Amino acid sequence: MWGITRTRYADCNGSEASEETGIVLNIGGVKHVLCGDVLNRFPETRLAELWNTSKGCLEDLSSLCDDYDSGKGEFYFDRDPDAFKCIIELYYYGEIHIKRGICPICFVKEMEFWKIDLYFLDDCCKGDLQEAEDELAEIAEKVQTILVDREGDPSARGWQCFQMCLWKLMEKPESSLSARVIAIVSFLFILISSVVMCVGTIPDLQVEDAEGNHMEHPILEAIETVCIGWFTVEYVLRLISSPNKVKFVLSFMNIIDFMAIMPFYVVLTLTSLGTAMMELANVQQAVQALRIMRIARIFKLARHSSGLQTLTSALKSSFSELGMLLMYMGVGVFLFSALAYTLEQSHPETMFTSIPQSFWWAVITMTTVGYGDIYPKTTLGRCNAAVSFLCGVIAIALPIHPIINNFVIFYNKQQVLETAAKHEIELMALRSREAGAEESGPQIQRRSVGVAAGVWDNAMHSCHSDTDIPLLKDPRAGVQTPSLDRSFDS
């Protein structure tokens, strides 16, 4: 691309192009002189049409430019001059690059104005455009969710209305004071349950049954029962209020909620079957495993912590880096454990009895933990250990920076999206108030479907400037307003 010889081009201060063979453009106060033969390379564009029309009847120019000065021979366009510098690259290089600092969405509007197809946009810039469109879609989705949380769905009736109110009460702490209270109470129950689970393992707080087996204190069991009762009621109410039951049950956080309450009822069922069933060794091991599963309830805190949610999302976006870290560690563990086993065989008191048994030594050495329960005794074995922990430090450090960078990028993106969504809501409210001030009569005080549609018109329709970017579409134009299914998803 960069090897293409640039055609003669001059701005208003140049003398390489004449006004007889080209046209003078005034783009936002910046003058350009473009040659006609250069513009005709792409005859379907606005500039090529302007050049061909200017040689004939000048009365047809009103639809192609904003103004024309016959004395100076200048065509005026009220457009972004910086974006136009990118536009004219098409006529010289055959493709367009978006310069840094120009909004990709607004630049697409510029290309549409100059009648240039997106095909001529370079692939590197198409990626930026797609990213900007995705962010715009996320902002629109957040705006829709906020609108439904504030106003509700006007088409909801009967059970759907009750379902929506119950969902907002259980899932949207910011929607009302009662919902915030329920969220705080749920958070406290999670903390209390976790503390009771830990305290119940202290031997001094345990009691002995008739057979001398240690059991949890009855008071702690009562507290545990109350907490499980709250978790059960909360889960059932959220399941009832969710319109998409299958998606609700298969959601990761809801699976954790189910795992947090399921062991209690399984143990309660096994206990009710009698002591003969509980005396079976397999049943006792299953009960112990189910009791250990209670630790899953600590993950319920992620439902009430935006920081944990951000961390989880950042780790999801870093699967490739985490996989690379595991691959490095796996190769290193296999290599250095095999070398340690081979080098330590000559020592009579070797601690490396097999390669699989040496895996543990390689793991704690490469991660620089070094418990000291197994260590090399030969000189070559110690050299191998030194190289192994140096390689371990490098292997761990290499993917760490991309993972941290992904977390920072995702966190900053979330902050920007939330701020943009709130700004859009404020802008919609301002436009709706301006529209309401222009209306007369008391009928605008009642929120009906017609008034709601008017608010959407004033808030969502694009303005006269074609650089306006509407986030939401008119619901009467075939696009539905935020629905219960979309706003209720977990």
Side-chain angles (χ1 to χ4, degrees):
M1 180 189 71
W2 301 109
I4 300 177
T5 304
R6 183 164 180 163
T7 308
R8 290 195 308 164
Y9 162 73
D11 57 15
C12 60
N13 296 321
S15 58
E16 296 182 2
S18 65
E19 298 181 10
E20 297 178 355
T21 60
I23 58 175
V24 181
L25 305 177
N26 189 315
I27 311 297
V30 180
K31 294 184 181 181
H32 302 268
V33 179
L34 300 178
C35 298
D37 56 346
V38 175
L39 300 179
N40 280 328
R41 293 179 179 177
F42 300 92
E44 297 181 355
T45 61
R46 181 181 291 267
L47 290 179
E49 293 179 2
L50 182 66
W51 162 250
N52 295 325
T53 306
S54 63
K55 294 183 296 183
C57 180
L58 297 180
E59 296 180 354
D60 299 333
L61 296 177
S62 58
S63 61
L64 297 176
C65 62
D66 294 330
D67 197 5
Y68 173 68
D69 189 345
S70 57
K72 298 182 180 179
E74 293 183 8
F75 298 92
Y76 291 89
F77 292 89
D78 187 14
R79 313 300 303 182
D80 184 5
D82 294 329
F84 185 75
K85 293 179 181 179
C86 304
I87 294 295
I88 59 178
E89 290 185 358
L90 172 67
Y91 300 95
Y92 299 112
Y93 304 118
E95 59 183 4
I96 297 177
H97 288 270
I98 303 177
K99 296 184 182 297
R100 187 182 301 274
I102 299 178
C103 175
I105 304 296
C106 295
F107 189 79
V108 171
K109 298 292 184 180
E110 291 289 324
M111 293 182 65
E112 293 176 357
F113 175 80
W114 297 109
K115 299 182 180 181
I116 299 176
D117 193 85
L118 287 177
Y119 169 80
F120 297 104
L121 190 63
D122 194 68
D123 292 337
C124 64
C125 299
K126 289 180 180 178
D128 297 336
L129 175 61
Q130 183 63 41
E131 182 178 353
E133 290 178 347
D134 293 341
E135 291 183 359
L136 199 64
E138 293 181 11
I139 295 175
E141 185 176 357
K142 286 182 177 292
V143 171
Q144 290 177 339
T145 303
I146 295 174
L147 286 175
V148 172
D149 291 341
R150 289 185 177 183
E151 305 295 337
D153 191 349
S155 62
R157 295 294 184 272
W159 166 250
Q160 284 190 342
C161 184
F162 172 77
Q163 192 179 22
M164 181 181 61
C165 295
L166 184 59
W167 180 262
K168 291 167 61 176
L169 188 65
M170 304 303 298
E171 281 289 322
K172 306 292 183 180
E174 69 279 359
S175 61
S176 62
L177 179 60
S178 56
R180 190 175 298 109
V181 171
I182 291 178
I184 295 174
V185 172
S186 179
F187 181 79
L188 293 178
F189 269 108
I190 295 173
L191 291 181
I192 293 173
S193 178
S194 302
V195 171
V196 168
M197 182 186 67
C198 297
V199 172
T201 60
I202 300 176
D204 296 338
L205 298 179
Q206 294 178 343
V207 296
E208 294 183 357
D209 58 6
E211 298 178 358
N213 297 324
H214 288 278
M215 301 177 59
E216 290 186 2
H217 196 280
I219 297 179
L220 297 181
E221 288 186 352
I223 298 175
E224 175 76 7
T225 303
V226 173
C227 294
I228 291 297
W230 170 266
F231 297 150
T232 304
V233 172
E234 181 186 31
Y235 183 85
V236 171
L237 290 178
R238 292 174 57 244
L239 178 61
I240 292 175
S241 61
S242 175
N244 193 339
K245 303 296 188 297
V246 176
K247 186 174 182 179
F248 177 87
V249 172
L250 297 180
S251 175
F252 176 73
M253 291 304 302
N254 295 326
I255 292 175
I256 291 179
D257 293 342
F258 180 77
M259 291 175 59
I261 60 178
M262 183 265 297
F264 176 83
Y265 293 102
V266 175
V267 172
L268 185 63
T269 303
L270 294 176
T271 305
S272 63
L273 294 178
T275 57
M277 178 66 70
M278 293 298 296
E279 289 176 357
L280 297 177
N282 294 335
V283 176
Q284 292 179 358
Q285 293 177 0
V287 170
Q288 292 297 328
L290 290 173
R291 288 183 178 272
I292 293 175
M293 287 178 60
R294 294 184 301 174
I295 62 177
R297 68 189 58 173
I298 196 65
F299 293 105
K300 289 171 63 68
L301 292 174
R303 188 181 302 280
H304 307 282
S305 174
S306 59
L308 291 177
Q309 294 175 3
T310 303
L311 177 61
T312 302
S313 302
L315 291 178
K316 287 181 180 179
S317 63
S318 303
F319 275 156
S320 59
E321 289 81 4
L322 294 174
M324 182 171 57
L325 174 60
L326 293 178
M327 184 189 68
Y328 290 163
M329 294 299 297
V331 172
V333 166
F334 181 82
L335 175 64
F336 292 112
S337 60
L339 289 176
Y341 170 76
T342 303
L343 296 175
E344 290 294 312
Q345 286 302 301
S346 60
H347 198 279
E349 299 180 357
T350 180
M351 295 182 177
F352 299 83
T353 58
S354 66
I355 292 180
Q357 188 265 348
S358 303
F359 286 167
W360 168 249
W361 168 84
V363 169
I364 63 177
T365 302
M366 292 190 68
T367 55
T368 68
V369 177
Y371 288 111
D373 54 343
I374 177 173
Y375 53 89
K377 296 183 178 180
T378 64
T379 302
L380 292 178
R382 291 171 180 173
C383 293
N384 176 61
V387 175
S388 67
F389 71 70
L390 288 176
C391 293
V393 170
I394 296 175
I396 294 175
L398 285 178
I400 289 299
H401 179 71
I403 294 175
I404 296 176
N405 190 43
N406 288 340
F407 176 81
V408 173
I409 291 175
F410 187 84
Y411 179 79
N412 292 336
K413 181 180 178 180
Q414 289 298 111
Q415 297 296 319
V416 170
L417 291 178
E418 291 178 2
T419 303
K422 293 179 180 178
H423 175 71
E424 184 67 20
I425 292 295
E426 294 175 356
L427 184 60
M428 291 172 60
L430 179 60
R431 290 174 177 175
S432 63
R433 287 196 297 267
E434 292 177 353
E438 296 176 357
E439 296 290 339
S440 60
Q443 65 275 11
I444 62 172
Q445 298 177 1
R446 183 172 57 91
R447 291 187 178 181
S448 60
V449 177
V451 176
V455 173
W456 278 90
D457 285 338
N458 291 281
M460 293 296 103
H461 280 177
S462 57
C463 61
H464 294 292
S465 174
D466 58 3
T467 58
D468 179 78
I469 307 172
L471 291 180
L472 305 178
K473 302 297 183 182
D474 186 356
R476 298 171 298 173
V479 180
Q480 296 295 328
T481 54
S483 63
L484 292 174
D485 291 345
R486 296 188 62 182
S487 61
F488 286 177
D489 290 344
S490 297

